[in-house]
Amino acid sequence: EAASNQRPVVQQTATGGVYLGMWQQISLLRPVSVNQRNHASIRKSFRTVVAGLVKSTVKVFAGNRKVALGVVVDQDGYILTKASQIPGQVECQFSDGKRVTAKVVNIQTRHDLALLKVDRQGLTAIEWNRDEKVPVGSWLAVPSHLEEPLAIGVLSLETPLEIKGGVLGVLLEERNDGVGIARVMPDGGGQRAGLLRGDVVVKVNGQEMKNLAMVVDTVRQHLPGEQVKLEIRRGEETLSMKATLGRIGDLNPARQAVPQDKLGGPLSKRRSGFPTVLQHDTVLDPDECGGALVDLNGKAVGINIARAGRVSTYALPSSLVVPLMVDDPLPPP
């Protein structure tokens, strides 16, 4: 018993590899304690919060595999979910157990949202929290098809975050002859593309770069894994090359030391490039994103859009989602 109270450690081998201490490995397999908030007995106290939301929540399936949750946003069969989790043809399973084929009718790539349409009328649409600001530390819940929520947590930050997109993996500097590359980070997209210290960035995707901020803003409009076309001046030469962008966290050795997806479960593949998100500490798997995040009044404060870290999940706030549906009206059935 005394040994189980020892602080878990991450140890490093002589070759630089890392492995989890024995007790940390055991703790990952240990069932949730009755004193921890995601234990069933704790989640039961939130039953009244999610009682009316079971019918507004769907499970999205690709074949026999659940890929996401979804939230009903219109009684005539319109459902929002996480776009990058949708591999192709999908079905939506409702709380009564019935599955209905769903058609993708709209995708908002920047927000990673997909609008699905099912041939089913009289659905119960989610009710949005449109007005009240959610203070930091507020309790939040994720509805499911169960009587109690799938998970509960609290809002981690006071104001919404902007989650930047892809990075080249270089340090830039303003120079008399343009935007220069002061350093090329190892294992970044810039190094793999062949960028060198001293290169000058002339154009990105055919657009002339006037200053350092313009280079950064242009690149970060793209997601990790996407390619950008670069025009580079190197001495007297002008070179064209393509670079595949990476994530900023991948360039930080301290964050690479412990594989995040092995400590708290897998992370969402698309977890960056969002214009604004709410960060909360509700623990969800990637295939549990796409559904609603609700306050203690049972109103949706956002849509869970990414498992971003061991104890952090991102949600698109209702202040962003609701105008999207107003500015880009739902297509007719």
Side-chain angles (χ1 to χ4, degrees):
E1 176 65 22
S4 64
N5 292 326
Q6 292 179 4
R7 184 179 179 180
V9 295
V10 175
Q11 301 183 26
Q12 186 167 12
T13 67
T15 58
V18 297
Y19 62 93
L20 303 180
M22 179 178 66
W23 296 113
Q24 189 162 2
Q25 295 183 49
I26 292 174
S27 70
L28 296 178
L29 303 175
R30 188 169 53 200
V32 178
S33 163
V34 70
N35 296 315
Q36 292 176 277
R37 65 181 180 203
N38 273 329
H39 188 272
S41 63
I42 305 298
R43 287 188 280 115
K44 283 180 182 178
S45 63
F46 285 77
R47 282 184 173 182
T48 56
V49 174
V50 299
L53 305 176
V54 171
K55 293 183 179 180
S56 302
T57 303
V58 303
K59 296 179 181 179
V60 184
F61 281 84
N64 293 322
R65 181 171 61 93
K66 179 170 72 73
V67 294
L69 295 182
V71 56
V72 177
V73 294
D74 186 271
Q75 64 177 359
D76 291 330
Y78 289 99
I79 296 164
L80 278 179
T81 188
K82 180 174 171 65
S84 60
Q85 287 289 118
I86 305 301
Q89 186 173 347
V90 293
E91 294 179 313
C92 290
Q93 184 181 67
F94 291 84
S95 57
D96 58 9
K98 293 182 179 179
R99 287 196 196 182
V100 182
T101 299
K103 178 182 178 182
V104 178
V105 294
N106 194 3
I107 289 182
Q108 291 276 351
T109 303
R110 188 182 184 202
H111 306 99
D112 199 20
L113 284 175
L115 181 66
L116 308 179
K117 175 69 171 68
V118 297
D119 187 13
R120 193 167 182 178
Q121 307 296 312
L123 300 180
T124 303
I126 197 76
E127 185 177 355
W128 298 96
N129 179 339
R130 298 170 181 261
D131 305 316
E132 296 182 14
K133 181 180 178 182
V134 184
V136 65
S138 296
W139 282 104
L140 302 168
V142 180
S144 69
H145 287 170
L146 304 174
E147 292 183 342
E148 63 269 5
L150 178 66
I152 58 177
V154 298
L155 186 68
S156 306
L157 295 175
E158 185 72 36
T159 57
L161 290 170
E162 179 183 4
I163 306 302
K164 296 294 188 179
V167 295
L168 272 173
V170 298
L171 297 181
L172 303 173
E173 60 182 359
E174 295 277 12
R175 295 179 5 186
N176 292 333
D177 57 346
V179 181
I181 296 177
R183 182 184 174 191
V184 179
M185 306 293 287
D187 300 322
Q191 184 190 59
R192 289 190 291 269
L195 293 177
L196 300 176
R197 179 181 178 183
D199 288 348
V200 176
V201 182
V202 180
K203 294 181 180 180
V204 177
N205 289 339
Q207 185 178 8
E208 186 176 353
M209 297 292 103
K210 298 179 179 180
N211 51 50
L212 188 152
M214 188 175 183
V215 175
V216 173
D217 290 343
T218 303
V219 168
R220 287 195 169 179
Q221 290 175 13
H222 299 271
L223 299 175
E226 293 184 347
Q227 278 192 342
V228 293
K229 296 179 181 179
L230 305 173
E231 184 175 307
I232 301 297
R233 188 169 65 247
R234 181 177 295 166
E236 301 297 323
E237 292 184 279
T238 298
L239 307 173
S240 296
M241 56 185 65
K242 295 180 181 179
T244 300
L245 304 180
R247 293 186 178 90
I248 192 167
D250 296 338
L251 301 174
N252 186 339
R255 294 184 64 177
Q256 293 182 37
V258 180
Q260 183 71 262
D261 58 352
K262 294 185 179 180
L263 282 183
L267 307 182
S268 297
K269 291 183 179 179
R270 166 76 191 274
R271 57 183 186 270
S272 61
F274 303 113
T276 181
V277 297
L278 299 174
Q279 180 175 311
H280 56 98
D281 65 355
T282 303
V283 178
L284 300 175
D285 287 334
D287 63 3
E288 294 170 338
C289 292
L293 179 71
V294 303
D295 60 19
L296 293 184
N297 295 315
K299 294 184 178 181
V301 300
I303 292 181
N304 290 309
I305 204 63
R307 172 76 182 276
R310 185 175 64 86
V311 289
S312 61
T313 297
Y314 295 151
L316 298 177
S318 58
S319 58
L320 181 149
V321 176
V322 173
L324 277 180
M325 293 187 290
V326 174
D327 297 339
D328 189 7
L330 299 176

